Amino acid sequence: VSAIAGECLAKIHTFSAQSLSHISWAMAQWGTRKDDLMNAIADEVQHKTHEFSPGPLAMTAWSFASLQIKNIPLMTSISEEAVDKIRSFKTQDLAHLAWAFANLRIQDSRLFNKMADEVQRNINGTLPPELANIAWAFSKNNFSHEDLMCAIAKEAVSQIHNFKSAEVAMLTWAFAVAGLRNKELMTGIGAQVAQNIIRFSAPQLSHIAWAFGALSLRHTEFLQSLSTHVYGSIKSFRAQGLSNIAWAFAMVNFRDEQLILRVAPAIAREVGDLRPLALARCAWAYRVLSVPSPELMDALSVEALKKADEFPTKALVKLIDSVYSSPVPKERSLLHRVLAGRTADVANFIQAFWKGNHPINEEDYCGQLHAFSFVECGIVGTPLLLSQLNIDLPSGGFMRRCCQKGLHKNPKEDPTRQAPDDAS
């Protein structure tokens, strides 16, 4: 490879557009980052961009993205040429181009809007890999293009049996991240996964479960099949995957106590792999599902204390409230101290803002309060905050009257709690 790269570098100025695309592709296939050669290719491509046809242009972008080489001048040049020639791109080329920009986290709204229009114009017959990659790219780059995603969903439903497991996982993830609850598509995906579950890897299944949970869509056939599969192959799942599955079950009110108890020790053993948000979500899931696991709650608390500085306050509140009703781990009181430090910052701000006779700007006050990144302090944090503000806790009778007043219109229903949709 080094010899070939050296020879190419020496003759780079003689390369045609097609040859530049081919050598870029070859380097990506070899997984070899020869920075001097790739920089020379990038410079040469920019001088010859107008000579590129759509296929080689998209493949060049894909090659650099595969090697994680984020050359902004190159990608800008490719984008400008692609916009000019967008009507000449095949859908496969658009999929490669979209994937490249998303993989490098380059948000080019002009290019993505042009690609969205072109994909929709030629959506009929688009193959599963292209549908999955385009959906993934738009969601990964935070481009919410509902018309495009609906068109992708419609085409995907008609071909769902032709999707490979990785493509199903990508497509499901894309719609969950975009927050689009396309029930027809998700119903088809749920049935497809349930009936072919042994074809899916453990990470793929945990990502698909996460997606159903994120969309609050309950597909009973899929959940039952997943539960049975996980129970029999728990060793193939990592803690993050098992935590995702528990969280998804909680999000759609699917309670399999036997499975949730079985996975708890496995999560506890690898709890160090969980990031703060995953720790909070896992604890919340076990509380919502009412499955007691003191061993897991203790492990989550210990790990949360180690990572306390990394915790967003909202996630910290969720975790502390979730372990509140479990047997008291020694780390809980230490976590309370961490939370007390966060609520003290809020208390100090409130006291300073309302001190004196200066005019009050409500919008400014709310804006600064929201900057603390959490709306409520929770079961544990609220008494801490009130105490720091020198405000006595309200009586139980007062709280009951507040609840009654809040539920006065329909005392049998909590308006803040909605059941998940059924995607079966």
Side-chain angles (χ1 to χ4, degrees), residues 211-358:
F212 274 89
L215 292 171
S216 292
L217 288 173
R218 176 181 175 126
H219 193 294
T220 303
E221 181 188 8
F222 163 62
L223 294 170
Q224 290 174 341
S225 178
L226 176 63
S227 185
T228 301
H229 179 78
V230 173
Y231 197 90
S233 57
I234 194 168
K235 290 183 179 180
S236 63
F237 287 81
R238 302 301 302 270
Q240 180 65 65
L242 294 172
S243 176
N244 280 347
I245 290 169
W247 178 80
F249 281 14
M251 286 294 291
V252 298
N253 299 323
F254 182 83
R255 188 175 187 273
D256 184 335
E257 183 173 5
Q258 188 177 17
L259 175 69
I260 298 301
L261 282 172
R262 180 171 170 78
V263 302
I267 297 174
R269 280 194 298 272
E270 296 182 353
V271 74
D273 293 344
L274 301 185
R275 294 180 179 180
L277 184 58
L279 292 168
R281 284 179 169 177
C282 187
W284 175 85
Y286 273 77
R287 178 177 67 82
V288 168
L289 293 170
S290 299
V291 177
S293 179
E295 175 193 359
L296 176 59
M297 289 300 187
D298 187 53
L300 293 171
S301 297
V302 170
E303 192 61 27
L305 191 58
K306 293 178 183 176
K307 298 173 178 173
D309 291 341
E310 304 171 34
F311 261 83
T313 304
K314 184 177 179 180
L316 183 64
V317 167
K318 177 181 283 189
L319 183 137
I320 291 175
D321 281 0
S322 297
V323 302
Y324 181 74
S325 58
S326 65
V328 182
K330 60 180 180 296
E331 287 75 19
R332 199 170 83 181
S333 61
L334 298 177
L335 285 172
H336 288 193
R337 292 182 193 174
V338 175
L339 182 57
R342 309 279 182 94
T343 57
D345 292 338
V346 178
N348 291 336
F349 162 73
I350 293 173
Q351 289 171 329
F353 193 92
W354 292 99
K355 181 181 281 186
N357 298 319
H358 58 83

